[in-house]
Structure formats: structure tokens, C-alpha cells
């Protein structure tokens, strides 16, 4: 795969990233109410120096751009606060107040961003809220700009399907996603030239209070126009692109186009390394193409939920065209090679962007990568199996590792051979071989140390920020063990936003099936409020599987009936018991059901068995 870089003499991105600067938050630190630092952008000041040999120069350049922090004017009446979270908060001035677009991850960083705006533009109330899509870094800080008791009469505008995807995306596989996310974002790495230097899409994720102000208006079609506080917005729905529910929109009176997270200054992820549903690169390209045509001639600047804006209509068209072509090329060439019989790994090793796209800074793989995105496209169409029978029933990692080490001549010989591969310029295979040694015997300190060295080498040479963070976090955990800080996104507001069936799904995936094989019980939950969720739900534990369905009149009596509100149900699911809840039947059934629940370790091992 080619590694031809664009010209470092091209400084247009730096000029655009600095354009419209008004003021920075000083110091660039945000604290929680208890004094805990939940955001520290000043920690990235080391990026002002020249790139050291511990970082890829292209990634260092991206870090310098993404670490810029402060309040910026996008165009008259529209501003962005950047560098106070992984995402941007955009503010449009209306007749009476301001419309906030994408209020970051944490209430604390969102409040700091709005305060910075007010300091320099005046104290205006929030008169509208827009979430461009269903990822938490674009709505989690909502209570920092719209506190409890202030939301009445304030429209909260979202793309169709937002609430379902926003509250469910991280529920079913949330534990594993959170643990893997600690690798992806380099949560436990020091912010330094040797450690975490960003994530490519921004610098880091804040760790404050996660919240959600429920939406009041769903955008259900492209072309819908809404006016909030005198500000007109024209929407383009883009479902199934960077998020399952997402939308671009135009401020026609400002001649400014919001691209949400569909077009940023990096190749994005078709499948994030933390895990998610595989995105559709084909649809992504088509919606970018639609945006070029649909909004043509109606804007002078385009901005997004990450990075810096692009000014000039023709430059925006070029930018969107190149972003479109990246995803289209990635999709189509993967399918072409897939149909020629290449596997995902072979395609990832073969695929190369056209030279013109390879030379575009915004198409570089800082957050997503051409390699793992090609594998994701393959996975979307054909799944994990490459059709080679040898891969159909392989041993699990530990058993496979023991056999590899035996073939290599034992652990001492395997480590020696791995070092030779690393010294000969093949750290990739050195990592593979040493990983087998560690999985065969996780107490082999020499193997752990050697593998940590190889991971460090691979990480510090990576242009992709998330690859760097994975490698360096793996090295750290080989040396120190797993001690990740996993942010709990399950705030009370988020849990209340889950539907009752979603809550019951989250219960079902925690049942220890083998322990429950021989049990058989039925519980009915009669939910009385909120009114929109009034229903009777039947839970059946049978053959180790907990299933549920909504019923009107029971044909057979359950063993237990609980009549309760949704809030009381949350308390029951949190293990607070059924005290104060109307019950009919055998209360011991609830205790029996809960006896089969598991509580996963959020720090499960990754680089060791």
C-alpha cells in the first residue's frame, strides 16, 4: 500500500483552522462540580513543537490542527466553539437568543463553551437546540446549555429515528464498546509526544456529566424547512451514513451549510475500532453527492461537527466531491476485489486510493483507515468467514497460541525469532508471534515486555490516531495490567429515554443462560406511566432465554404480576427490589430471575487471555 503524503507546504488548513478566531478559554481546562478535571486542552501544548521521532509527522500535523481551541466566527451570526471536547458546538444567533447545534459530550464542557460565547457576544438565552445525529458527543452536554426547568417552549430538533438510536446504540454491547473505546481513544495514555496525541477527529473525549434533553421535533424528509427564533434551516436527511440517524442542513440566510459528521477533515470509520454496526459506504457517498446538488449555489461556507470549516463555494464542492469519491471508491473497489475472490485481509493489503485523493489531507486515515474500512465493507456483505475451510473451526486464541509456540520451538525460541523479525523490519509478524507467546503463557514477562516494545514501535509509527492509541494502550496494559477508566453513559435521563422493551432487552442479555437452563418462570409487568408507555409486558424465562412481549389480556396466569411506573421499573432493574410496588403472586420469582443476572467486568483483558 502506498504511503504518499500530501505536501507539508500546503498550509491552507492552518489558515482555515485559525480563521475567525475571537478568543480562547484560558486556561483551557474544565472541571466538574467536585473539582475533577474532565477536560484539559492545555495538555496538548506539546504539539506546538516540531514532530519528534515518536509520532508520524502527518498525525502530528493533524493533532496541531485539531488542538486549536476557542470561539470562532464561521460567518456573520454563526459561531463555533472548538477544542473543548472531541466535537464542536455551533451557535446561531436568532432574534431573541441563540440556537445551539450539537452541545458536546458533557454538560460541563457545553456550559463552558456557551459561557465563552456569551462573554464575547452577549448573554442570550438558548431558544433552540439541534442534534445533527445520534452519537453521544453531539447531545450528551445538552443540560449544560438547557438546564432543567428552562426547556419549556424550546424546540429540540433531531433527524428521524434519533431517540431510538441515541439511547440504544451502546446498550446491548455497551460494556464491550466502552472497554474497547478506552483503547481507541487512548484514555489511560499520557498526553505526550510518546503517548496520546489525539484521536484524529479531535483530541479526546470529555468525562463529565452525560445528559439528554428529549427531542420535540423529528425531521422526517429532505427539504423540510423550519424557522426557530427567526433563523431558517433547510434539512437533508442522511440516514445510514456516519450515524444511523443523521442530517445535514442549510442556514439559507447565512449562506452556511452544516455537514454534521458526514464530511470532516479525515477519512472516517465505516466500522469504528470500538465496535458498532457496519456503516454503508455506498449510501454515505450517495448522500454526499445529493448534498452537492441539493444545496448548490446556496452557501459560501460549510462547517461540520468536528474540525474547521471550508470557505468558498467551489472549495466546498471540491471538498465534498473528494469525500464522496473516497467512500464510493472504498466501497466499489472492495466489492470488485471481493467478487474476484480476495478476502477482507487481502483487500485491505491491496487497496490504494487514487493519487489525487491520496494527496488530499482531508482524505487521510487519521480516524478511520483505508485498511480497516475495507475489511468493514467486506464484513458488511460477507461476514467474518472468508470461505477458507481452515478458518471455519480454528482453535480459540489460547489453544491456538499454545500450538504456535510449540511449533516455534517453545517460548524462548519463539521470543527470539520474534525479535529477529522486528529487527529485520517486520514488526507486524513480530507482534503476531509474540501475541501467541503471551496468550500461551500470560506470566511470561520477557514475552510481555518484547510485545510491548513492538506495540510501541507500531503505535508511534502509525498515521492513524486510533491505531496509535490501540497499540500504545496495549503496550501499557502489558506492562501495568488493565486499569481503564470507563465512562458510564447510563445517566438517569438516558435510561428514562429507553423504551420498556429496550430496558427488558438489556436485562435479557445479562442472563447466565447455562445456569438458567432448568428454570421456568413467567412475570408480567404492568407499566402505568408515562402514558405513552402504558402496557402489559410478559417476561418468560425458559431454556435459559429471557423473552418478552406486549400482551393485552393474558391467556395463562403468570407467577407474578408487578404493577409499576417506568421509573419504578428502573429501580427494580437497578436491584432496589419491589418495595412499595403493587404485586400479585409469588414475589420470590423476581429474586429468582435476578439470581441469574451477571455483571460484566468493565476492565476485562484484551491483550492477555
Amino acid at each position: 500500500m502506498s504511503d504518499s503524503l500530501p505536501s507539508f507546504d500546503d498550509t491552507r488548513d492552518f489558515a482555515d483552522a485559525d480563521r475567525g478566531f475571537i478568543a480562547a478559554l484560558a486556561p483551557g481546562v474544565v472541571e466538574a462540580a467536585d473539582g475533577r478535571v474532565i477536560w484539559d486542552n492545555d495538555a496538548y501544548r506539546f504539539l506546538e513543537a516540531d514532530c519528534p521521532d515518536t509520532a508520524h509527522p502527518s498525525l502530528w500535523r493533524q493533532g496541531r490542527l485539531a488542538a486549536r481551541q476557542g470561539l470562532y466566527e464561521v460567518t456573520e451570526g454563526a459561531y463555533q466553539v472548538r477544542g473543548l471536547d472531541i466535537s464542536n458546538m455551533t451557535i446561531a444567533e436568532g432574534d431573541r437568543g441563540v440556537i445551539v447545534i450539537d452541545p458536546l459530550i458533557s454538560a460541563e464542557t457545553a456550559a463552558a463553551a456557551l459561557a465563552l460565547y456569551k462573554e464575547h457576544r452577549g448573554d442570550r438565552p438558548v431558544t433552540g437546540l439541534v442534534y445533527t445525529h445520534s452519537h453521544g458527543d453531539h447531545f450528551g452536554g445538552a443540560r449544560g446549555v438547557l438546564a432543567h426547568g428552562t426547556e419549556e417552549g424550546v424546540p429540540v430538533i433531531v433527524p428521524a429515528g434519533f431517540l431510538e438510536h441515541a439511547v440504544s446504540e451502546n446498550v446491548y454491547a455497551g460494556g464491550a464498546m466502552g472497554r474497547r473505546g478506552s483503547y481507541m481513544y487512548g484514555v489511560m495514555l499520557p498526553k505526550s509526544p510518546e503517548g496520546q496525541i489525539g484521536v484524529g477527529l479531535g483530541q479526546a473525549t470529555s468525562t463529565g456529566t452525560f445528559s439528554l434533553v428529549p427531542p420535540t421535533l423529528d425531521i422526517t424528509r429532505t427539504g423540510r424547512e423550519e424557522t426557530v427564533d427567526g433563523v431558517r434551516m433547510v434539512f437533508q436527511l442522511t440516514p445510514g451514513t456516519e450515524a444511523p440517524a443523521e442530517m445535514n442542513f442549510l442556514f439559507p440566510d447565512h449562506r452556511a451549510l452544516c455537514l454534521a459528521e458526514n464530511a470532516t477533515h479525515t477519512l472516517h470509520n465505516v466500522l469504528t475500532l470500538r465496535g458498532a454496526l457496519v456503516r454503508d459506504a455506498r449510501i454515505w457517498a450517495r448522500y454526499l453527492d445529493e448534498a452537492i446538488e441539493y444545496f448548490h449555489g446556496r452557501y459560501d461556507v460549510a462547517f461540520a461537527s468536528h474540525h474547521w470549516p471550508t470557505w468558498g463555494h467551489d472549495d466546498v464542492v471540491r471538498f465534498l466531491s473528494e469525500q464522496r469519491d473516497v467512500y464510493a471508491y472504498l466501497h466499489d473497489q472492495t466489492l470488485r476485489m471481493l467478487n474476484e475472490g480476495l478476502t477482507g485481509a487481502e483487500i485491505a493489503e491491496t487497496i490504494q486510493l487514487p493519487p489525487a485523493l491520496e494527496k488530499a489531507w482531508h482524505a487521510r486515515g487519521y480516524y478511520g483507515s483505508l485498511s480497516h474500512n475495507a475489511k468493514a465493507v467486506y464484513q458488511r456483505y460477507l461476514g467474518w468467514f472468508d470461505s477458507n475451510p481452515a478458518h471455519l473451526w480454528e482453535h480459540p486464541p489460547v489453544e491456538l497460541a499454545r500450538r504456535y509456540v510449540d511449533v516455534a520451538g517453545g517460548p524462548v525460541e519463539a521470543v527470539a525469532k520474534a525479535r529477529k523479525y522486528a529487527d529485520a523490519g517486520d514488526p507486524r509478524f513480530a507482534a503476531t508471534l509474540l501475541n501467541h507467546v503471551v496468550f500461551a503463557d500470560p506470566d511470561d514477562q520477557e514475552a510481555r515486555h518484547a510485545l510491548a516494545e513492538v506495540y510501541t514501535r507500531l503505535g508511534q509509527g502509525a498515521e492513524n490516531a486510533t491505531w496509535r492509541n490501540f497499540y500504545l494502550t496495549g503496550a501499557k496494559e502489558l506492562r501495568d495490567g488493565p486499569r481503564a477508566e470507563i465512562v458510564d453513559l447510563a445517566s438517569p435521563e438516558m435510561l428514562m429515554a429507553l423504551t420498556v422493551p429496550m430496558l427488558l432487552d438489556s436485562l435479557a442479555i445479562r442472563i447466565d443462560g447455562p445456569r438458567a437452563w432448568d428454570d421456568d418462570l413467567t412475570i408480567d409487568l404492568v407499566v402505568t406511566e408515562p402514558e405513552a408507555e402504558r402496557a402489559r409486558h410478559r417476561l418468560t424465562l425458559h431454556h435459559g432465554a429471557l423473552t418478552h412481549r406486549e400482551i393485552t389480556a393474558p391467556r395463562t396466569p403468570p407467577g407474578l404480576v408487578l404493577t409499576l411506573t417506568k421509573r419504578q421499573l428502573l429501580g427494580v432493574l437497578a436491584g432496589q427490589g419491589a418495595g412499595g410496588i403493587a404485586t400479585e403472586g409469588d414475589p420470590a420469582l423476581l429474586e429468582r430471575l435476578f439470581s441469574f443476572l451477571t455483571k460484566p467486568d468493565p476492565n476485562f483483558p484484551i491483550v492477555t487471555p
Side-chain angles (χ1 to χ4, degrees):
M1 193 180 298
S2 170
D3 192 25
S4 178
L5 286 170
S7 172
F8 282 87
D9 293 330
D10 177 3
T11 59
R12 169 69 182 273
D13 283 339
F14 287 91
D16 283 348
D18 290 334
R19 180 170 174 171
F21 176 73
I22 296 173
L25 181 69
V29 177
V30 179
E31 296 181 348
D34 60 5
R36 177 174 53 91
V37 173
I38 58 109
W39 179 259
D40 184 0
N41 203 70
D42 291 348
Y44 293 101
R45 284 180 175 166
F46 64 84
L47 287 164
E48 297 169 6
D50 291 339
C51 180
D53 59 7
T54 55
H56 194 292
S58 176
L59 180 58
W60 191 265
R61 174 189 182 277
Q62 182 77 350
R64 291 181 65 192
L65 287 161
R68 280 159 158 73
Q69 179 262 111
L71 174 67
Y72 296 80
E73 183 183 56
V74 176
T75 190
E76 184 177 358
Y79 300 82
Q80 280 192 320
V81 180
R82 304 200 286 270
L84 289 187
D85 216 317
I86 190 175
S87 47
N88 302 332
M89 189 166 89
T90 304
I91 300 168
E93 295 178 345
D95 293 339
R96 297 181 296 105
V98 295
I99 298 154
V100 172
I101 298 98
D102 289 353
L104 311 182
I105 293 178
S106 302
E108 295 86 351
T109 54
L114 186 60
L116 180 63
Y117 165 83
K118 288 182 176 181
E119 180 183 349
H120 297 279
R121 293 294 302 165
D123 188 358
R124 307 162 190 245
V126 173
T127 50
L129 196 55
V130 178
Y131 306 142
T132 61
H133 59 291
S134 53
H135 291 154
D137 52 327
H138 303 274
F139 65 82
R143 286 300 178 192
V145 300
L146 206 56
H148 287 280
T150 66
E151 65 266 53
E152 186 175 353
V154 178
V156 182
I157 303 175
V158 300
F162 167 87
L163 193 58
E164 176 187 354
H165 293 295
V167 300
S168 68
E169 181 171 344
N170 294 323
V171 171
Y172 302 138
M177 278 189 186
R179 177 73 171 108
R180 289 160 58 121
S182 70
Y183 269 63
M184 179 173 172
Y185 295 109
V187 171
M188 299 305 293
L189 297 175
K191 296 175 175 62
S192 71
E194 296 75 33
Q196 202 260 22
I197 59 177
V199 299
L201 195 64
Q203 291 312 97
T205 52
S206 65
T207 57
T209 305
F210 195 73
S211 62
L212 173 66
V213 177
T216 63
L217 176 61
D218 286 8
I219 301 300
T220 57
R221 62 176 176 85
T222 291
R224 179 162 178 173
E225 182 172 330
E226 293 291 335
T227 299
V228 177
D229 193 14
V231 177
R232 289 197 299 143
M233 292 171 278
V234 180
F235 295 92
Q236 178 204 12
L237 277 183
T238 63
T241 52
E242 186 274 336
E246 190 148 0
M247 62 186 181
N248 300 327
F249 66 88
L250 177 75
F251 286 131
D253 299 326
H254 296 75
R255 293 187 60 80
L257 176 61
C258 174
L259 296 170
E261 202 168 322
N262 287 317
T264 57
H265 290 273
T266 178
L267 171 62
H268 214 293
N269 285 295
V270 175
L271 176 59
T272 65
L273 297 182
R274 73 177 184 274
L277 297 178
V278 181
R279 297 160 185 172
D280 189 343
R282 177 186 62 91
I283 284 294
W284 200 330
R286 289 192 180 181
Y287 278 123
L288 288 174
D289 192 54
E290 180 182 82
I292 293 170
E293 181 63 26
Y294 185 72
F295 294 114
H296 186 77
R298 294 194 279 172
Y299 56 82
D300 300 315
V301 60
F303 62 92
S305 305
H306 296 271
H307 299 143
W308 51 95
T310 299
W311 281 271
H313 186 275
D314 291 345
D315 284 332
V316 174
V317 171
R318 174 190 53 79
F319 170 64
L320 285 175
S321 299
E322 290 174 347
Q323 285 275 303
R324 172 201 64 196
D325 293 347
V326 165
Y327 297 109
Y329 187 90
L330 170 68
H331 175 272
D332 295 348
Q333 295 309 302
T334 299
L335 266 291
R336 177 182 64 83
M337 288 186 270
L338 171 159
N339 282 316
E340 292 174 354
L342 274 69
T343 66
E346 291 167 337
I347 295 168
E349 200 70 12
T350 305
I351 192 169
Q352 180 181 338
L353 288 179
L357 292 178
E358 212 168 44
K359 293 288 188 180
W361 283 113
H362 65 83
R364 303 297 296 182
Y366 301 116
Y367 190 54
S369 77
L370 195 59
S371 174
H372 74 251
N373 279 345
K375 293 175 183 175
V377 174
Y378 183 96
Q379 178 180 325
R380 180 178 179 89
Y381 285 93
L382 293 184
W384 63 269
F385 182 44
D386 63 6
S387 78
N388 185 333
H391 303 148
L392 185 59
W393 193 30
E394 290 184 299
H395 287 289
V398 170
E399 294 304 317
L400 194 64
R402 289 171 178 163
R403 287 158 175 78
Y404 267 107
V405 172
D406 179 60
V407 170
V412 174
E413 184 65 20
V415 170
K417 288 177 178 176
R419 290 188 187 279
K420 286 182 180 179
Y421 276 103
D423 292 343
D426 189 359
R428 293 170 66 183
F429 184 69
T432 299
L433 187 50
L434 287 167
N435 180 67
H436 284 312
V437 181
V438 169
F439 268 69
D441 180 7
D443 294 326
D444 187 328
Q445 294 302 315
E446 183 181 3
R448 291 175 71 119
H449 180 71
L451 183 54
E453 286 182 341
V454 171
Y455 282 165
T456 299
R457 178 175 168 182
L458 286 166
Q460 293 183 346
E463 182 181 16
N464 181 279
T466 58
W467 284 33
R468 176 187 175 96
N469 292 339
F470 256 86
Y471 280 128
L472 296 185
T473 302
K476 178 176 175 57
E477 291 200 353
L478 283 166
R479 296 183 180 110
D480 304 333
R483 290 199 301 270
E485 295 176 2
I486 310 298
V487 177
D488 184 8
L489 301 182
S491 68
E493 280 186 325
M494 286 293 289
L495 292 176
M496 277 298 290
L498 287 167
T499 64
V500 171
M502 288 178 184
L503 288 168
L504 299 180
D505 282 343
S506 69
L507 187 70
I509 61 177
R510 291 174 53 203
I511 294 290
D512 186 334
R515 283 203 300 114
W517 280 346
D518 299 324
D519 209 326
D520 190 351
L521 60 84
T522 304
I523 298 175
D524 281 4
L525 302 177
V526 180
V527 179
T528 58
E529 61 176 61
E531 185 174 350
E533 294 210 57
R534 284 184 183 174
R536 185 177 187 127
H537 300 268
R538 172 151 294 188
L539 281 67
T540 302
L541 181 65
H542 190 58
H543 293 148
L546 180 66
T547 58
H548 60 88
R549 66 181 182 274
E550 187 175 320
I551 62 174
T552 51
R555 288 187 292 103
T556 57
L560 172 66
V561 180
L562 298 179
T563 302
L564 70 181
T565 66
K566 184 178 178 181
R567 192 169 294 280
Q568 287 174 320
L569 174 60
L570 286 174
V572 170
L573 297 181
Q576 297 172 8
I581 295 172
T583 63
E584 180 183 340
D586 183 4
L589 291 185
L590 186 64
E591 184 178 344
R592 212 164 86 204
L593 173 65
F594 275 61
S595 72
F596 298 121
L597 292 182
T598 59
K599 186 174 183 180
D601 179 2
N603 280 322
F604 58 79
I606 290 178
V607 289
T608 55

